[in-house]
Amino acid sequence: MFGRHRHDREGEALVEQLVTMWVRACEGASLVRVVDTVSGPTIIPPKIVDITLGPPTILVVELQPGMLPADVVDLAPRIAPHMDAWGLHVEPIGHRHVRVALLDSDPLTGTVPLLAGAGLHLGRDESGADLRIAPADLPHAVCQGVTRSGKSVWTYSLLAQLAHRPDALIAGCDPTGLLWRPLAGSRHADRLASGLVDPGAHEKVLAAVVAEMDDRIRDLPADRDTIAVSLGRPLLFVILEEYPGLLRVLDAAKTRGDDPGARVRALVSRLLAEGAKAGVRVVILAQRAEASVVGAFERAMCSLRISFRCDNRASVELLHPGAPPALADAHTAALPGIALVSRPGHPVARIRAPYIGGYPEFAAAVAA
Ligand SMILES: Nc1ncnc2c1ncn2[C@@H]1O[C@H](COP(=O)(O)OP(=O)(O)O)[C@@H](O)[C@H]1O
Ligand SMILES: [Mg+2]
């Protein structure tokens, strides 16, 4: 039946069992095509065309007309338990087939070390592939997650990778006050605001970055629509740690004639709208990317969206609309360091962020 693989007697029995389980699981999950025949409607599940016994056992499945690989992804949580699997990892093969790996256990339970390399190492996915993005290709990003879910650790590894790159400069606001300490005295220090003793310092930093962006855009040659990133004109990464906390403090200081929160929001909006062509990248961090903090416009500008553990499905959907509901629900129990990632051209993926260690390791890596 499956030409490419010769199974022994025990293997044959297992293969047969898998085929039966697959058909029943797909019927139960309604991953079937319904065809009307003279004897009544017939249901046809996607057809297994190849099995490699594992672990992990890999099925190659031919989709029925009308089915998309995304349909299998969406229904995977319903199918997996009935294949005796913890989960399914689904990848499209061409237009009509998917490769379905039956996972015994969560492939993301172990920690992932931060790996050196050309692109920024942002995490590892369920298939073991590392998510890497070259700094210049990184879009604006928003990262959310409840307390102790892994946002700061992810930020540490991002900063550790940027701190020593000659083609990158770090700027930003950290109302919590610890993030920039290891960068004191470095070439990044001019554009960093820390703590809440002087809330106005954050606006000053953002205004300076916007002015720099305006200079860069003014200097754009007539035949270019984006600046060439160079050592003289490095990428400017604007990191907004605990951005809602900063806005809360600024909004509390609002008076009749003065609205610092509105000014900071306007500066951030300008960086998001115009920064990409000027080599500016914004990274917003928040416990929850709610509309009062990251409005529809800001969200639309941030095409890299990362969610560590969220309180509920609605929070997940703020950044990952259309994520399979079962995936969003399961993410409310995610371990620290496990995130959902959405980016253009890719289905939402589960990743584990690299673990650089705690604050001491971060400080050492940035200062080194
Ligand atoms: N990528 C990771 N891998 C392993 N453990 C992690 C990871 N990220 C976070 N943790 C663990 O979770 C704890 C809380 O993470 P942290 O980044 O401080 O959360 P947050 O900033 O969201 O409050 C860390 O001290 C660490 O023990
Ligand atoms: Mg934190």
Side-chain angles (χ1 to χ4, degrees), residues 166-185:
D167 59 349
L169 266 176
I170 300 165
C173 303
D174 171 28
T176 68
L178 295 177
L179 204 51
W180 307 141
R181 279 195 315 184
L183 291 170

Side-chain angles (χ1 to χ4, degrees), residues 79-345:
I79 296 171
H82 302 282
M83 300 297 294
D84 278 340
W86 172 87
L88 307 183
H89 183 78
V90 181
E91 279 172 29
I93 307 175
H95 298 297
R96 282 173 35 191
H97 293 81
V98 287
R99 179 180 177 278
V100 179
L102 308 184
L103 306 174
D104 287 342
S105 59
D106 184 353
L108 300 184
T109 32
T111 53
V112 170
L114 178 60
L115 300 176
L120 300 172
H121 185 211
L122 299 179
R124 183 171 293 168
D125 73 14
E126 288 178 334
S127 72
D130 284 303
L131 170 58
R132 283 190 177 279
I133 303 185
D137 296 336
L138 199 77
H140 298 309
V142 55
C143 172
Q144 69 172 358
V146 297
T147 306
R148 312 276 312 151
S149 63
K151 302 179 300 296
S152 291
V153 167
W154 182 78
T155 313
Y156 294 166
S157 65
L158 178 66
L159 293 175
Q161 294 179 86
L162 293 175
H164 303 294
R165 290 188 69 113
D167 59 349
L169 266 176
I170 300 165
C173 303
D174 171 28
T176 68
L178 295 177
L179 204 51
W180 307 141
R181 279 195 315 184
L183 291 170
S186 74
R187 67 202 164 96
H188 309 287
D190 295 350
R191 301 176 188 78
L192 302 173
S194 217
L196 289 167
V197 177
D198 174 16
H202 297 283
E203 181 181 343
K204 282 202 195 94
V205 158
L206 291 171
V209 176
V210 167
E212 214 165 331
M213 174 182 81
D214 286 339
D215 285 346
R216 289 179 173 201
I217 293 172
R218 200 173 311 115
D219 290 353
L220 266 179
D223 60 346
R224 286 194 65 111
D225 63 357
T226 46
I227 68 147
V229 175
S230 65
L231 298 189
R233 286 248 160 114
L235 285 164
L236 257 169
F237 285 88
V238 184
I239 316 285
L240 304 175
E241 166 73 311
E242 193 45 44
Y243 184 49
L246 175 62
L247 291 179
R248 249 190 324 272
V249 169
L250 295 173
D251 288 344
K254 179 177 168 178
T255 59
R256 222 171 227 284
D258 189 41
D259 191 345
R263 285 200 303 274
V264 160
R265 284 182 176 84
L267 290 167
V268 171
S269 289
R270 285 210 51 207
L271 293 175
L272 288 169
E274 302 162 67
K277 59 177 178 281
V280 177
R281 303 290 187 272
V282 180
V283 179
I284 297 176
L285 293 138
Q287 295 195 11
R288 189 171 188 274
E290 57 206 324
S292 61
V293 178
V294 189
F297 166 77
E298 286 79 6
R299 237 190 322 258
M301 289 293 137
C302 295
S303 48
L304 176 64
R305 289 118 175 248
I306 300 180
S307 293
F308 289 93
R309 183 164 68 80
C310 292
D311 275 335
N312 49 49
R313 190 198 288 184
S315 298
V316 174
E317 284 168 350
L318 285 169
L319 292 188
H320 315 273
L327 182 67
D329 283 337
H331 197 55
T332 59
L335 294 172
I338 292 184
L340 298 179
V341 175
S342 293
R343 59 200 170 111

